Amino acid sequence: MERSLTPTTDLSVFETNIRFIGGLLTCFALTGDVMFRDKAEQIAKKLLPAFQTQTGIPHSLINIKTGASKNYGWASGGCSILSEIGTLHLEFAYLSDVTGDPVYRAKVDHIRRVIQSMDKPRGLYPNYINPKTGKWGQHHMSMGGLGDSFYEYLLKAWLQSGREDQEARQMYDDAIHYVLTHMLKVSPGGLTYISDMKFDRLEHKMDHLACFSGGMIGLGAHTLKNDLSKRYMSIADAITNTCHESYDRTATKLGPEAFRFTEAIEAKALKSSEKYYILRPEVIESYFIMWRLTKEQKYRDWGWEAVQAIEKHCRVAGGYTGLKNVYLEDPPKDDVQQSFFLAETLKYLYLLFSDDSLMSLDEWVYNTEAHPLPIKGVNPLYREQV
């Protein structure tokens, strides 16, 4: 019997895509069972009304029973979010290729055309875009929350296409150039970080979410060799080292949600609202990618440190829990096991200690929820409809 998709609450277009559509498409690639492909398409069709805006930039939330969509009330005057609109391309492009229906790729190609045509302050992409006017919202730029996976998907769209999508690679290279020009900083103690920027002022804060960028910049440098590759690989190593330091400078050896750089402290959380750890994967993700690219033993050593810390502080009778303050020897627990702990954190740890041939970076790209999608032209499991 066909079960209908009729939850009564609004769904996040972004989360539904990366978790459900991405996960189902991975299952289809690995098994060839068209049931997974068809379920992915069934869900994607339910998301399409969110794209019916004046610009084609999708809303963040959709009620898939009624088709009504909207943006978060807090998001800069009704804006959509850069990371959310930019983190649809891998799944939607692949879905078009495996179903033969061009509508999904057309939707994400249109998003790219809109944002490519816009003027960018200092060459940077603000975190908010208005789906009615096609103009940027407040000028807040970040490699962490609200920005992060937009950059990741530019690089990975190029990789997924078998390096045919030159537009995506050019947009990635340009974006990273301006991020590193305006937002990359080195602390007095020698730690390299990508600062947030608000209204042309650096905030000297880096989110745990932004720690994926070490692996991303390394992957970008490794996959297209040019006169910048050596410098970018050095930056990737330095950012990943800083993220490790954010773990190492806590009592639990697990990193905070965000960490700051001031005259008094480096790579430490200042606010109580930033001292928690919710089993996030981004630091481990960079360890995994940098290990695969460089074979430097420190990345496996750091990964093992994290394993031991998670086992010591987060393992409980019913699974694993987040921590409310990583700077306490015996921190209070939040009693929540986030779904990305299984999808990403444990997966990246497993891959970190696996042979390179297991889900090779030459044959797979990992979506931002760590669901591997095959690379066109080199992976026979791409299963394109022809």
Side-chain angles (χ1 to χ4, degrees), residues 31-269:
T31 67
D33 187 334
V34 296
M35 181 269 290
F36 294 115
R37 179 200 66 193
D38 295 346
K39 286 292 183 185
E41 184 174 28
Q42 182 187 358
I43 296 169
K45 283 180 176 176
K46 294 283 189 180
L47 301 184
L48 290 180
F51 293 78
Q52 292 173 7
T53 64
Q54 288 91 326
T55 59
I57 296 292
H59 285 138
S60 295
L61 298 167
I62 186 164
N63 183 309
I64 61 175
K65 192 171 184 178
T66 66
S69 64
K70 62 183 180 181
N71 276 335
Y72 294 105
W74 51 262
S76 184
C79 281
S80 300
I81 295 165
L82 180 69
S83 63
E84 297 193 347
I85 67 165
T87 311
L88 302 164
H89 205 103
L90 297 185
E91 297 82 3
F92 273 51
Y94 184 47
L95 188 58
S96 276
D97 281 357
V98 298
T99 62
D101 187 340
V103 66
Y104 309 108
R105 185 185 290 275
K107 294 294 185 187
V108 292
D109 281 348
H110 178 76
I111 294 171
R112 187 188 289 177
R113 284 196 298 275
V114 171
I115 59 176
Q116 197 176 20
S117 68
M118 297 170 67
D119 289 333
K120 297 163 191 69
R122 298 195 187 188
L124 298 168
Y125 288 86
N127 289 343
Y128 299 106
I129 179 172
N130 192 304
K132 291 181 180 178
T133 65
K135 297 186 183 303
W136 299 116
Q138 59 183 247
H139 286 190
H140 174 198
M141 294 76 155
S142 178
M143 190 58 73
L146 309 180
D148 48 14
S149 47
F150 164 74
Y151 305 95
E152 175 188 1
Y153 269 42
L154 291 176
L155 173 63
K156 290 180 177 178
W158 173 71
L159 290 170
Q160 182 191 42
S161 72
R163 310 190 182 192
E164 294 294 317
D165 187 352
Q166 292 296 331
E167 178 183 64
R169 178 72 206 210
Q170 190 60 57
M171 288 177 71
Y172 168 79
D173 286 336
D174 291 345
I176 293 302
H177 166 75
Y178 287 110
V179 165
L180 298 184
T181 298
H182 298 299
M183 295 162 63
L184 186 76
K185 292 293 166 186
V186 179
S187 72
L191 296 181
T192 298
Y193 61 100
I194 299 178
S195 175
D196 281 7
M197 178 181 280
K198 289 186 176 179
F199 305 105
D200 292 335
R201 292 184 61 132
L202 294 178
E203 201 178 355
H204 299 288
K205 177 196 78 141
M206 191 167 172
D207 291 346
H208 190 293
L209 287 165
C211 283
F212 86 98
S213 62
M216 177 188 71
I217 293 169
L219 189 62
H222 180 82
T223 51
L224 186 63
K225 294 289 196 290
N226 56 34
D227 55 357
L228 292 171
S229 294
K230 188 173 181 181
R231 174 175 175 254
Y232 279 17
M233 189 59 81
S234 176
I235 290 170
D237 175 80
I239 290 171
T240 307
N241 176 71
T242 298
C243 291
H244 172 255
E245 286 294 320
S246 79
Y247 276 49
D248 202 46
R249 297 178 185 204
T250 72
T252 57
K253 303 302 180 184
L254 293 167
E257 180 71 358
F259 48 91
R260 295 176 181 266
F261 297 83
T262 70
E263 291 181 3
I265 63 151
E266 296 193 353
K268 286 189 175 181

